[in-house]
């Protein structure tokens, strides 16, 4: 029986120490790895298979944009190609950098074009290193939506941003707010909120102030480096960081490029809305998060809870639904990967 699924591509921060060797374990010998390696060598960069095959993981090597972005792209795109034949993809979306991967997964970029976009933007953002990101929960441990708590946190952000510092909502990530700004803005937020679970507020290493106006110089460089002819109308529906849907047969490649290298870089990325609209518009049997890593699964579940998908309003309700039949599969988890790869 065919399973209708929405594919979700992860962003930065998903290739960490446990993921070292992901390409070797799951995709060794795939001919596209040679293509990706050749593109890296042509730019004087370390090949992805060499990065993935390193003896030890180094955050200073693997965690920076120049390396993390192409590693995540290769793992995610090849995971998509490894899906079983009875999986029917009805739409594709992604989180932040995952939008670039989603473009390729949906056919709006070919495999090499998608790699070029990811590799270029990762390099440009690393070279610019403008600002940083911080993450903080806006729900409790039960994952129930808490509008008052969310509003209070965003009010704190607005107050900080109204002063001499810069702080904006970077990514609306399910039960988490990813904030971005300059050093003063991040420090002011850290001083304004209580510490939670011994982790939050959590600075994200090697992350810039993604999805804020501070990235306009990077967006401009991206537009100069990545021509319109890389882009095509998608073969599958694409859901972007506004929740808008780019339909096959009704998409202007120039407009898609303009969004990708404009709004998507410099404005808030609403992943929560993207998942909500994916659920309501396509009503899939399953949501599949490609690897590497498994950190995005919680944000997907929290986004579904936030919109009350299939009557779920808490973490317990999601867990019950998940135990009945997999609604969410993370390919980065070995015990779930086989569900969708056969």
């Amino acid at each position: 029986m065919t399973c209708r699924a929405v594919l979700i591509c992860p962003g930065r921060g998903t290739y960490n120490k446990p993921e070292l060797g992901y390409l070797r374990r799951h995709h060794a010998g795939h001919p596209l790895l040679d293509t990706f390696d050749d593109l890296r060598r042509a730019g004087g960069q370390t090949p992805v298979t060499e990065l993935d095959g390193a003896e030890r993981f180094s955050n200073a090597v693997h965690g920076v944009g120049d390396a993390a972005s192409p590693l995540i792209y290769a793992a995610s795109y090849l995971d998509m190609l490894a899906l079983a034949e009875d999986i029917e993809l009805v739409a594709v979306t992604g989180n932040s950098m995952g939008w670039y991967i989603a473009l390729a997964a949906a056919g709006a970029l070919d495999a090499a074009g998608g790699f070029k976009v990811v590799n270029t933007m990762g390099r440009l953002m690393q070279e610019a290193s403008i600002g940083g990101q911080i993450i903080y929960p806006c729900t409790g441990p039960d994952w129930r939506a808490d509008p008052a708590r969310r509003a209070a946190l965003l009010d704190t952000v607005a107050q900080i941003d109204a002063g001499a510092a810069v702080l904006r909502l970077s990514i609306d990530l399910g039960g988490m707010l990813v904030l971005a700004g300059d050093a003063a803005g991040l420090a002011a937020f850290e001083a304004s909120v209580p510490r939670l679970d011994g982790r939050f507020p959590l600075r994200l290493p090697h992350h810039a102030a993604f999805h804020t106006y501070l990235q306009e110089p990077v967006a401009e460089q991206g537009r100069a480096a990545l021509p319109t002819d890389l882009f095509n109308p998608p073969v599958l529906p694409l859901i972007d960081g506004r929740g808008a849907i780019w339909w096959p047969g009704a998409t202007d490649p120039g407009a898609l490029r303009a969004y990708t290298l404009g709004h998507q870089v410099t404005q808030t990325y609403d992943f929560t809305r993207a998942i909500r609209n994916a659920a309501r518009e396509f009503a899939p049997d399953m949501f599949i998060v490609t690897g590497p890593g498994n950190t995005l699964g919680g944000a997907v579940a929290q986004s579904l809870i936030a919109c009350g998908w299939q009557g779920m309003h808490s973490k317990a309700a999601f867990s019950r639904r998940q135990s009945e039949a997999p609604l969410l599969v993370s390919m980065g988890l070995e015990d779930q990967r086989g569900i969708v790869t056969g």
Side-chain angles (χ1 to χ4, degrees):
M1 181 182 296
T2 300
C3 175
R4 300 174 67 259
V6 167
L7 189 75
I8 305 166
C9 303
R12 287 281 301 276
T14 54
Y15 191 103
N16 298 297
K17 185 176 180 179
E19 284 71 54
L20 185 66
Y22 192 93
L23 296 175
R24 183 176 63 250
R25 289 192 297 274
H26 298 299
H27 303 298
H30 197 288
L32 277 176
L33 289 176
D34 291 334
T35 300
F36 300 156
D37 281 350
D38 288 344
L39 289 169
R40 292 277 290 180
R41 290 190 187 96
Q45 298 166 296
T46 305
V48 288
T49 54
E50 184 175 329
L51 290 167
D52 184 71
E55 184 176 341
R56 295 179 180 176
F57 178 85
S58 167
N59 197 41
V61 173
H62 296 88
V64 297
D66 177 67
S69 297
L71 280 168
I72 294 165
Y73 175 86
S76 180
Y77 188 81
L78 293 178
D79 271 1
M80 181 270 295
L81 295 181
L83 290 171
E85 292 184 0
D86 61 353
I87 301 292
E88 177 193 354
L89 296 182
V90 294
V92 183
T93 191
N95 175 45
S96 189
M97 189 207 82
W99 169 251
Y100 304 139
I101 310 172
L103 286 168
L109 296 167
D110 63 22
F115 188 87
K116 183 176 182 180
V117 169
V118 164
N119 195 59
T120 299
M121 296 305 290
R123 176 180 57 80
L124 291 175
M125 288 188 174
Q126 178 185 325
E127 290 174 352
S129 294
I130 303 170
Q133 276 184 323
I134 200 167
I135 190 166
Y136 197 79
C138 60
T139 65
D142 61 358
W143 291 356
R144 291 180 184 274
D146 190 339
R149 176 176 176 176
R150 173 187 166 85
L153 288 168
L154 291 178
D155 183 61
T156 298
V157 171
Q159 290 180 35
I160 293 171
D161 191 65
V166 176
L167 190 67
R168 301 288 175 91
L169 176 61
S170 175
I171 307 173
D172 193 325
L173 192 62
M176 297 283 183
L177 298 178
V178 182
L179 309 174
D182 60 12
L186 298 176
F189 183 80
E190 289 172 327
S192 300
V193 296
R195 189 158 179 80
L196 299 176
D197 303 328
R199 298 177 60 208
F200 303 106
L202 176 66
R203 292 268 187 134
L204 299 176
H206 303 297
H207 284 220
F210 305 146
H211 311 297
T212 72
Y213 74 90
L214 296 177
Q215 294 300 311
E216 181 52 48
V218 174
E220 185 176 355
Q221 289 178 296
R223 291 190 291 270
L226 299 166
T228 300
D229 60 13
L230 282 174
F231 292 77
N232 304 290
V235 176
L236 296 170
L238 265 168
I239 306 167
D240 68 22
R242 303 164 300 181
I245 302 173
W246 299 81
W247 295 96
T251 291
D252 172 18
L256 186 59
R257 174 184 178 272
Y259 164 76
T260 298
L261 302 176
H263 187 288
Q264 190 274 144
V265 179
T266 63
Q267 303 296 319
T268 298
Y269 198 97
D270 197 338
F271 180 74
T272 303
R273 178 177 291 182
I275 296 301
R276 180 192 70 195
N277 290 0
R280 292 178 174 174
E281 183 70 32
F282 299 97
D285 303 314
M286 183 183 291
F287 295 84
I288 301 173
V289 182
T290 59
N294 61 354
T295 56
L296 196 56
V300 175
Q302 291 161 359
S303 299
L304 294 173
I305 289 168
C307 69
W309 181 244
Q310 296 187 354
M312 298 180 295
H313 295 283
S314 67
K315 185 176 183 179
F318 174 81
S319 296
R320 285 194 297 272
R321 171 63 181 81
Q322 185 77 350
S323 67
E324 294 169 0
L327 175 65
L328 171 63
V329 170
S330 293
M331 296 182 73
L333 293 174
E334 293 299 329
D335 60 341
Q336 294 186 13
R337 185 179 183 86
I339 297 173
V340 294
T341 60

